[in-house]
Protein backbone atom coordinates (compact mmCIF):
# COMPACT_ATOMS: atom_id res chain seq x y z
CA UNK A 1 0.00 0.00 0.00
CA UNK A 2 1.35 3.40 -1.05
CA UNK A 3 2.02 6.02 1.62
CA UNK A 4 3.06 9.66 1.44
CA UNK A 5 6.80 9.83 0.77
CA UNK A 6 6.98 6.45 -1.00
CA UNK A 7 8.88 6.37 -4.28
CA UNK A 8 8.37 3.87 -7.10
CA UNK A 9 10.49 3.51 -10.22
CA UNK A 10 9.84 2.13 -13.65
CA UNK A 11 13.18 1.15 -15.24
CA UNK A 12 11.50 0.49 -18.59
CA UNK A 13 9.83 3.88 -19.08
CA UNK A 14 12.40 5.90 -17.13
CA UNK A 15 9.87 7.28 -14.63
CA UNK A 16 10.40 7.79 -10.88
CA UNK A 17 7.39 8.85 -8.82
CA UNK A 18 7.29 10.13 -5.25
CA UNK A 19 3.89 10.37 -3.60
CA UNK A 20 3.42 13.83 -2.09
CA UNK A 21 -0.23 13.27 -1.07
CA UNK A 22 -2.18 10.03 -1.26
CA UNK A 23 -5.84 9.23 -1.48
CA UNK A 24 -5.81 8.59 2.28
CA UNK A 25 -4.32 12.06 2.90
CA UNK A 26 -6.94 13.83 0.78
CA UNK A 27 -10.00 11.73 1.70
CA UNK A 28 -10.07 10.46 -1.90
CA UNK A 29 -10.05 13.92 -3.46
CA UNK A 30 -6.65 13.65 -5.14
CA UNK A 31 -3.31 11.96 -5.55
CA UNK A 32 -0.34 14.33 -5.86
CA UNK A 33 2.92 12.96 -7.20
CA UNK A 34 6.31 14.32 -8.13
CA UNK A 35 7.42 12.64 -11.33
CA UNK A 36 10.94 12.58 -12.71
CA UNK A 37 11.35 11.26 -16.24
CA UNK A 38 14.78 10.41 -17.62
CA UNK A 39 15.87 11.60 -21.08
CA UNK A 40 14.01 9.50 -23.67
CA UNK A 41 11.58 8.40 -20.92
CA UNK A 42 7.84 8.15 -21.52
CA UNK A 43 4.49 7.03 -20.14
CA UNK A 44 3.77 3.48 -21.34
CA UNK A 45 0.74 4.21 -23.55
CA UNK A 46 -1.72 6.81 -24.71
CA UNK A 47 -4.57 6.57 -22.24
CA UNK A 48 -7.78 8.15 -20.94
CA UNK A 49 -8.89 8.81 -17.38
CA UNK A 50 -12.68 8.69 -17.85
CA UNK A 51 -13.52 10.39 -14.53
CA UNK A 52 -10.32 12.17 -13.50
CA UNK A 53 -8.54 15.37 -14.41
CA UNK A 54 -4.77 15.46 -14.42
CA UNK A 55 -2.73 18.64 -13.89
CA UNK A 56 0.93 18.69 -14.94
CA UNK A 57 3.14 21.46 -13.48
CA UNK A 58 6.76 21.42 -14.66
CA UNK A 59 9.49 22.33 -12.16
CA UNK A 60 12.56 21.48 -14.30
CA UNK A 61 13.24 20.29 -17.82
CA UNK A 62 10.95 19.93 -20.84
CA UNK A 63 7.81 17.83 -20.84
CA UNK A 64 6.05 16.96 -24.07
CA UNK A 65 2.32 16.27 -23.80
CA UNK A 66 0.05 14.96 -26.51
CA UNK A 67 -3.48 15.93 -25.42
CA UNK A 68 -6.25 15.00 -27.80
CA UNK A 69 -4.83 15.97 -31.18
CA UNK A 70 -2.47 18.65 -29.89
CA UNK A 71 1.19 18.28 -28.90
CA UNK A 72 2.68 20.84 -26.54
CA UNK A 73 5.99 21.24 -24.78
CA UNK A 74 6.00 22.63 -21.25
CA UNK A 75 9.03 24.13 -19.56
CA UNK A 76 9.80 25.35 -16.04
CA UNK A 77 6.80 26.96 -14.27
CA UNK A 78 4.38 25.99 -17.07
CA UNK A 79 1.38 23.75 -16.56
CA UNK A 80 -1.46 22.03 -18.39
CA UNK A 81 -4.66 20.31 -17.37
CA UNK A 82 -5.99 17.20 -19.06
CA UNK A 83 -9.75 16.99 -18.63
CA UNK A 84 -11.53 13.67 -17.97
CA UNK A 85 -12.04 11.55 -21.06
CA UNK A 86 -9.21 13.17 -23.05
CA UNK A 87 -6.62 10.86 -24.64
CA UNK A 88 -3.10 11.83 -23.61
CA UNK A 89 0.48 10.71 -23.16
CA UNK A 90 3.72 12.37 -22.14
CA UNK A 91 7.45 12.03 -22.62
CA UNK A 92 10.68 13.80 -21.78
CA UNK A 93 11.31 16.35 -24.56
CA UNK A 94 14.80 17.32 -23.43
CA UNK A 95 18.32 16.05 -22.90
CA UNK A 96 18.06 16.36 -19.09
CA UNK A 97 15.60 14.89 -16.59
CA UNK A 98 12.18 16.50 -16.52
CA UNK A 99 10.58 16.94 -13.09
CA UNK A 100 6.93 17.83 -12.64
CA UNK A 101 4.17 17.63 -10.10
CA UNK A 102 1.06 15.83 -11.24
CA UNK A 103 -2.27 16.14 -9.46
CA UNK A 104 -4.97 13.60 -10.26
CA UNK A 105 -8.55 14.38 -9.15
CA UNK A 106 -10.37 12.40 -7.79
CA UNK A 107 -7.92 9.75 -6.60
CA UNK A 108 -9.97 6.62 -7.43
CA UNK A 109 -7.51 3.66 -7.71
CA UNK A 110 -4.68 5.63 -9.33
CA UNK A 111 -2.12 4.69 -6.64
CA UNK A 112 -2.87 0.98 -6.99
CA UNK A 113 -2.48 1.17 -10.76
CA UNK A 114 0.91 2.92 -10.57
CA UNK A 115 2.19 0.60 -7.86
CA UNK A 116 1.17 -2.45 -9.90
CA UNK A 117 2.56 -1.30 -13.26
CA UNK A 118 5.85 -0.03 -11.82
CA UNK A 119 6.41 -3.21 -9.76
CA UNK A 120 5.83 -5.38 -12.83
CA UNK A 121 8.37 -3.33 -14.80
CA UNK A 122 10.89 -3.45 -11.95
CA UNK A 123 10.58 -7.24 -11.84
CA UNK A 124 11.07 -7.58 -15.62
CA UNK A 125 7.47 -8.61 -16.28
CA UNK A 126 6.68 -6.06 -19.03
CA UNK A 127 7.59 -5.50 -22.65
CA UNK A 128 10.17 -2.90 -23.65
CA UNK A 129 7.24 -0.44 -23.89
CA UNK A 130 6.30 -1.11 -20.26
CA UNK A 131 3.19 -3.25 -20.77
CA UNK A 132 2.56 -6.67 -19.15
CA UNK A 133 1.42 -9.67 -21.19
CA UNK A 134 -2.15 -9.42 -22.55
CA UNK A 135 -3.80 -11.74 -20.00
CA UNK A 136 -2.18 -10.01 -17.00
CA UNK A 137 -3.01 -6.63 -18.55
CA UNK A 138 -6.66 -7.67 -18.98
CA UNK A 139 -6.96 -8.50 -15.26
CA UNK A 140 -5.35 -5.18 -14.28
CA UNK A 141 -7.34 -3.15 -16.81
CA UNK A 142 -10.67 -4.66 -15.73
CA UNK A 143 -9.98 -3.82 -12.07
CA UNK A 144 -8.87 -0.26 -12.91
CA UNK A 145 -11.40 0.46 -15.69
CA UNK A 146 -12.78 3.57 -13.95
CA UNK A 147 -9.23 4.88 -13.48
CA UNK A 148 -7.69 4.32 -16.90
CA UNK A 149 -8.50 2.85 -20.27
CA UNK A 150 -7.38 3.05 -23.87
CA UNK A 151 -8.71 5.84 -26.11
CA UNK A 152 -9.97 3.20 -28.56
CA UNK A 153 -11.80 0.92 -29.21
CA UNK A 154 -14.95 2.30 -27.55
CA UNK A 155 -15.27 1.69 -23.79
CA UNK A 156 -18.14 -0.80 -24.19
CA UNK A 157 -16.02 -2.93 -26.54
CA UNK A 158 -12.99 -2.76 -24.22
CA UNK A 159 -15.17 -3.80 -21.30
CA UNK A 160 -16.61 -6.74 -23.27
CA UNK A 161 -13.13 -7.93 -24.25
CA UNK A 162 -11.87 -7.59 -20.69
CA UNK A 163 -14.59 -9.92 -19.39
CA UNK A 164 -13.09 -12.82 -21.34
CA UNK A 165 -9.42 -11.77 -21.10
CA UNK A 166 -9.56 -11.10 -17.35
CA UNK A 167 -11.38 -14.39 -16.70
CA UNK A 168 -8.66 -16.33 -18.49
CA UNK A 169 -5.97 -14.22 -16.81
CA UNK A 170 -7.35 -15.00 -13.37
CA UNK A 171 -7.50 -18.71 -14.25
CA UNK A 172 -3.77 -18.70 -14.96
CA UNK A 173 -3.10 -16.92 -11.67
CA UNK A 174 -2.89 -13.19 -12.40
CA UNK A 175 -4.36 -10.71 -9.94
CA UNK A 176 -5.49 -7.10 -10.35
CA UNK A 177 -2.56 -5.81 -8.28
CA UNK A 178 1.07 -6.81 -8.05
CA UNK A 179 3.75 -6.24 -5.44
CA UNK A 180 7.39 -6.51 -6.38
CA UNK A 181 9.17 -9.81 -5.78
CA UNK A 182 12.44 -7.91 -5.28
CA UNK A 183 13.59 -7.40 -1.69
CA UNK A 184 12.80 -3.96 -0.28
CA UNK A 185 15.61 -1.39 -0.36
Amino acid sequence: MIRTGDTVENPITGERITFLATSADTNGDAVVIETVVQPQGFVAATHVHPFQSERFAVAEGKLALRVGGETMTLGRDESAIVEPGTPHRFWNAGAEEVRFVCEIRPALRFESLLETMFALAADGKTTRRGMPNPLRLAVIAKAHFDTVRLPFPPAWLQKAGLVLGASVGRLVGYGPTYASEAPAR
Side-chain angles (χ1 to χ4, degrees), residues 27-95:
N27 201 26
D29 288 339
V31 174
V32 182
I33 57 177
E34 178 185 68
T35 304
V36 176
V37 183
Q38 299 301 311
Q40 300 181 9
F42 54 92
V43 70
T46 300
H47 59 280
V48 171
H49 302 291
F51 305 108
Q52 296 164 296
S53 65
E54 195 168 7
R55 181 178 186 274
F56 297 84
V58 176
E60 295 176 4
K62 293 183 181 178
L63 178 69
L65 273 171
R66 177 112 176 125
V67 180
E70 180 185 346
T71 300
M72 63 186 86
T73 302
L74 303 176
R76 179 184 207 103
D77 297 328
E78 293 182 310
S79 63
I81 295 176
V82 178
E83 296 297 338
T86 306
H88 62 286
R89 66 185 175 102
F90 64 82
W91 62 95
N92 184 330

Side-chain angles (χ1 to χ4, degrees), residues 6-136:
D6 285 352
T7 297
V8 294
E9 294 187 51
N10 186 323
I12 304 299
T13 62
E15 299 168 276
R16 182 176 67 244
I17 292 174
T18 300
F19 290 83
L20 304 178
T22 66
S23 177
D25 299 331
T26 65
N27 201 26
D29 288 339
V31 174
V32 182
I33 57 177
E34 178 185 68
T35 304
V36 176
V37 183
Q38 299 301 311
Q40 300 181 9
F42 54 92
V43 70
T46 300
H47 59 280
V48 171
H49 302 291
F51 305 108
Q52 296 164 296
S53 65
E54 195 168 7
R55 181 178 186 274
F56 297 84
V58 176
E60 295 176 4
K62 293 183 181 178
L63 178 69
L65 273 171
R66 177 112 176 125
V67 180
E70 180 185 346
T71 300
M72 63 186 86
T73 302
L74 303 176
R76 179 184 207 103
D77 297 328
E78 293 182 310
S79 63
I81 295 176
V82 178
E83 296 297 338
T86 306
H88 62 286
R89 66 185 175 102
F90 64 82
W91 62 95
N92 184 330
E96 305 294 325
E97 289 181 341
V98 61
R99 184 170 55 89
F100 59 94
V101 173
C102 190
E103 187 172 308
I104 301 90
R105 292 185 171 272
L108 302 179
R109 298 195 63 214
F110 193 78
E111 295 159 14
S112 169
L113 176 67
L114 287 180
E115 183 176 30
T116 294
M117 297 301 285
F118 279 44
L120 286 166
D123 285 354
K125 297 179 186 253
T126 65
T127 67
R128 62 184 172 81
R129 296 291 300 164
M131 300 302 282
N133 75 57
L135 292 177
R136 176 173 261 151

